[in-house]
Amino acid sequence: MAQKDYYELLGVKKDASQEEIKKSFRHLARKYHPDLNKGSKEAEEKFKEINEAYQILGDPQKKAQYDQVGHAEFRPGDSSGYTAPSYDDLFRDFGLGDIFDVFSRSGGRTRKRAGADLRYDISISLADAFYGTKNTVEVPHDDECKTCHGTGAQPGFVRVCPTCGGKGEIRNIQKSGGRQMVNITVCPSCRGDGKIVDRPCESCRGKGMIQKTRRIEVSIPPGVEDGQFLRIAGEGEAGENQGPPGDLYVVVHVKKHDIFERQGADLYSSATVGLVTALLGAEITVPTITGNALLRIPGGTQSHTLFRLRQQGMPYMNSDNRGDLLVKVVVKIPEKITKKQEELIKEAFIGAK
């Protein structure tokens, strides 16, 4: 069977840097390591391949030789006795310390965790989107209890869990045939909290959080479009165990306008003119987002012709430039005409196709 290309196995290009090769290997190792895919021969074989590829490409000298001679110089040997390195041994080489800090996302709550992000939807008019506006929003959120500072216990009545040592999890390590198997379970004593509360906080009833409503002034810039959002850093939910707060995302919805239809920074409207105006031409007044403007209609204008008024549309965000206003001229044909009007039209357009 033909040997697979090492670059293809790691998913990197031939000119990839050592940092890119290392990053790709770390990602694949987390996915295919046998300890994460117990009983999967396919994952074990895949890990063998990417580990072999990294041993070559992760060494600048071996990589240079491989680029010259390919697999002829690096023919894989017998792997029947292969044993995957343990998590700790593998990732300690990358300066990551305890690998379970990388893989275990369900461990004890004693680790600092960022608060959740919040979303708030507001509706504004097209005029507000043109000029910009400020809105005060009331956002309900959980805030850290000031009495217990998020511990959920009365001051002096919380202690580190003696069973797990504050980690919130129990690790049972077993070695078999040169392989290291690790089983992680939630600590039964503290239920993953890493701490024991002897007397719950009376202010928050042991939750560590108190629900509040915060009033926040949101500045909406000119030119904002429907569906765009504004990120307000630090105004989301409070973090756990003194972790940083989340962010607030304000989603802006622009209401439909009675006259204008918006497409990006351009505005569209329509104006109805009579047959005489379309035939002979004239100046008409059309509404704009800021007032009125004169539009010159040349003689012989066909119905549904688009006229462009430059710089009469919406502003571009963070710019002094504006889009255009495009006016569709609709020629109104009289439903009824007098006998004399009919004779005049025939006389004026006799022979016209």
Side-chain angles (χ1 to χ4, degrees):
M1 183 180 295
Q3 184 71 19
K4 292 184 179 180
D5 181 78
Y6 286 151
Y7 290 101
E8 181 180 343
L9 285 170
L10 292 184
V12 296
K13 297 180 180 179
K14 287 190 175 182
D15 59 353
S17 66
Q18 284 296 308
E19 185 61 31
E20 290 173 326
I21 293 172
K22 182 186 295 185
K23 182 178 180 180
S24 180
F25 173 68
R26 285 169 55 188
H27 171 74
L28 293 171
R30 288 174 180 149
K31 183 177 181 181
Y32 293 109
H33 197 285
D35 286 353
L36 285 180
N37 300 272
K38 294 181 175 62
S40 174
K41 287 293 184 182
E42 182 180 355
E44 183 176 346
E45 290 301 319
K46 184 69 175 179
F47 184 80
K48 290 179 185 178
E49 292 178 341
I50 62 175
N51 187 47
E52 178 185 319
Y54 179 69
Q55 297 306 315
I56 303 303
L57 300 185
D59 184 318
Q61 184 175 355
K62 292 180 181 180
K63 178 178 181 296
Q65 294 176 4
Y66 175 74
D67 289 341
Q68 290 180 352
V69 300
H71 286 286
E73 190 73 18
F74 300 97
R75 195 176 304 278
D78 180 19
S79 60
S80 58
Y82 172 82
T83 300
S86 70
Y87 285 152
D88 290 329
D89 294 338
L90 176 64
F91 282 85
R92 189 174 289 111
D93 293 338
F94 293 107
L96 295 181
D98 187 353
I99 189 58
F100 293 101
D101 289 337
V102 178
F103 282 102
S104 178
R105 302 298 183 188
S106 59
R109 289 172 52 192
T110 53
R111 300 188 184 99
K112 292 182 179 180
R113 287 189 178 88
D117 294 332
L118 296 177
R119 169 176 172 156
Y120 194 94
D121 294 76
I122 61 174
S123 295
I124 63 173
S125 66
L126 187 63
D128 287 337
F130 178 85
Y131 292 106
T133 185
K134 290 185 178 182
N135 277 42
T136 299
V137 299
E138 294 186 351
V139 183
H141 68 103
D142 288 332
D143 199 7
E144 184 180 86
C145 176
K146 303 304 180 184
T147 302
C148 66
H149 301 289
T151 65
Q154 292 187 29
F157 287 92
V158 60
R159 54 191 171 91
V160 175
C161 175
T163 304
C164 64
K167 295 181 178 179
E169 59 192 20
I170 303 295
R171 303 176 188 177
N172 295 314
I173 302 177
Q174 298 177 344
K175 293 185 177 181
S176 175
R179 294 182 59 182
Q180 180 173 282
M181 306 295 291
V182 180
N183 183 36
I184 304 176
T185 59
V186 176
C187 176
S189 300
C190 64
R191 298 181 181 180
D193 285 343
K195 57 180 183 282
I196 301 294
V197 175
D198 295 320
R199 186 176 297 178
C201 173
E202 296 180 356
S203 299
C204 63
R205 298 182 179 179
K207 295 180 179 179
M209 298 286 178
I210 295 179
Q211 190 172 72
K212 294 182 178 180
T213 299
R214 184 164 56 236
R215 294 172 61 87
I216 303 171
E217 186 176 72
V218 180
S219 295
I220 301 173
V224 66
E225 295 191 36
D226 182 68
Q228 286 188 318
F229 64 84
L230 306 173
R231 174 177 171 269
I232 305 176
E235 293 294 349
E237 296 281 17
E240 293 184 24
N241 297 300
Q242 299 181 344
D247 299 329
L248 171 65
Y249 290 86
V250 178
V251 183
V252 180
H253 302 278
V254 182
K255 300 175 185 176
K256 290 186 177 180
H257 197 273
D258 294 336
I259 298 176
F260 303 110
E261 179 182 337
R262 182 180 183 181
Q263 293 186 18
D266 292 333
L267 294 176
Y268 289 77
S269 67
S270 61
T272 301
V273 300
L275 181 60
V276 175
T277 299
L279 290 172
L280 304 179
E283 272 191 341
I284 64 172
T285 301
V286 295
T288 69
I289 191 69
T290 58
N292 293 314
L294 291 176
L295 176 62
R296 175 66 185 174
I297 306 296
T301 293
Q302 302 297 306
S303 185
H304 290 69
T305 299
L306 275 178
F307 291 89
R308 184 183 297 270
L309 295 176
R310 298 193 178 278
Q311 295 288 311
Q312 291 295 326
M314 298 293 290
Y316 291 98
M317 284 187 63
N318 305 316
S319 173
D320 294 331
N321 296 324
R322 291 172 56 183
D324 301 331
L325 171 62
L326 291 93
V327 182
K328 179 173 67 177
V329 171
V330 180
V331 180
K332 184 177 181 180
I333 305 298
E335 296 181 1
K336 295 180 180 180
I337 57 175
T338 64
K339 192 69 174 177
K340 185 176 181 179
Q341 288 173 330
E342 181 180 354
E343 292 174 355
L344 290 173
I345 292 172
K346 286 181 179 180
E347 181 180 348
F349 294 98
I350 188 168
K353 298 294 185 180

